[in-house]
Amino acid sequence: MPHGSMHEVTVHPRLLTARGGFGAVVLAAGVSGAALLFFPGSTGSFFSWGLGPPPLAALVGGLYLASSIVFAFAMRLDWFGIRSLLAAALGLTAPTLVATLIHLDVFDFGRWQAWAWLALFVSAPPFWGGLLWAGPRPDRSRRRSYGMGRALLAVVLFTWAVVMWAAPEAASELLPYDLAGLGGRFFGSWLVFLGVMAAWSAFRPGQSLPTLALAAYPAGALVAGLRTFSDLKPGAGRIAYLVFLAVLAVTFGVSAGRSAGPSETA
């Protein structure tokens, strides 16, 4: 073979490690998400804890399935393209670990699923946080634009997350199902994840991954809401909930289609 006819591409071990973590999420989230979405009333038999009510279990299943799509897409990106997901994953797993430690009484540690959950959320924050901290920072010298609407969405999501953590029963009045305890705080941790993505999308609007996430996760939640429609509180609230999710999914889905390709920079 003539010299120079084949170019060797070197991938930094840090990026390979991140992609390995993403691959593990794709597999685990895909399997768990399908189980939760199809069997939301049977979480006590297969999940790490008795996640409920069924609409919440289905919601988490939809979010897990969305994660399998988002994390799979992230495996194609360069380092600066994945930093938003590293930050969002840290934003999800760190408060979930705290919530788990607060609510250890809901776990049956005679089951391997409970130990697997604890091991996952003890190891995940330092894994994602360590990768984020160890990698290079983007060039901040250039003037950057921002999206006011997405910044406002981030503020709303972060505020709702704080309220959900402080008083999950009261905060769930905004939803067509009731939340409490670990379930409510786990939901609040997902709000932090989405808030990070919305903030990143607002201040780095050229990146495709945050926009894809803001489309995929509402779409997953919408599928879950339709799956458990009969379990939602009757009335106009459940229709408004589903319409809101549909609007978010379509709006950001259109934006994702116009975003940058798989190779992105700071």
Side-chain angles (χ1 to χ4, degrees):
M1 180 179 295
H3 179 70
S5 62
M6 185 174 181
H7 298 282
E8 181 180 355
V9 178
T10 302
V11 179
H12 195 283
R14 178 180 56 245
L15 183 56
L16 286 176
T17 301
R19 288 175 175 174
F22 294 164
V25 172
V26 170
L27 178 61
V31 172
S32 299
L36 288 167
L37 191 60
F38 285 108
F39 308 104
S42 304
T43 59
S45 64
F46 65 84
F47 197 59
S48 300
W49 47 286
L51 178 62
L56 175 61
L59 171 66
V60 173
L63 297 178
Y64 279 179
L65 290 177
S67 291
S68 67
I69 296 171
V70 170
F71 280 76
F73 180 82
M75 294 176 72
R76 306 167 55 231
L77 302 179
D78 64 17
W79 177 256
F80 290 108
I82 68 170
R83 292 182 74 247
S84 61
L85 189 55
L86 297 177
L90 178 61
L92 168 65
T93 56
T96 299
L97 172 60
V98 175
T100 297
L101 297 177
I102 292 173
H103 297 282
L104 282 176
D105 57 300
V106 308
F107 292 91
D108 176 6
F109 286 103
R111 303 172 67 240
W112 69 266
Q113 292 94 332
W115 286 105
W117 175 276
L118 186 61
L120 170 64
F121 285 102
V122 166
S123 60
F127 178 78
W128 300 122
L131 282 171
L132 184 64
W133 178 82
R137 296 343 185 234
D139 178 13
R140 300 184 183 278
S141 62
R142 292 178 292 168
R143 181 179 178 85
R144 300 187 183 278
S145 61
Y146 66 93
M148 181 63 73
R150 299 183 186 205
L152 179 60
L153 177 60
V155 171
V156 170
L157 289 167
F158 286 136
T159 302
W160 193 8
V162 171
V163 175
M164 183 63 70
W165 253 81
E169 296 89 348
S172 67
E173 291 299 320
L174 297 172
L175 298 168
Y177 45 88
D178 294 322
L179 299 178
L182 179 56
R185 293 188 170 98
F186 189 37
F187 180 86
S189 300
W190 276 105
L191 293 175
V192 175
F193 178 96
L194 293 172
V196 171
M197 282 300 195
W200 208 286
S201 180
F203 292 98
R204 299 190 183 278
Q207 295 194 355
S208 58
L209 184 59
T211 304
L212 173 64
L214 292 173
Y217 286 98
L222 176 61
V223 171
L226 294 173
R227 167 67 180 84
T228 55
F229 184 78
S230 61
D231 293 314
L232 301 178
K233 295 176 185 176
R238 61 181 175 178
I239 301 299
Y241 170 74
L242 296 176
V243 169
F244 175 70
L245 293 173
V247 169
L248 285 179
V250 171
T251 300
F252 287 107
V254 171
S255 296
R258 298 173 178 170
S259 295
S263 181
E264 298 173 355
T265 60

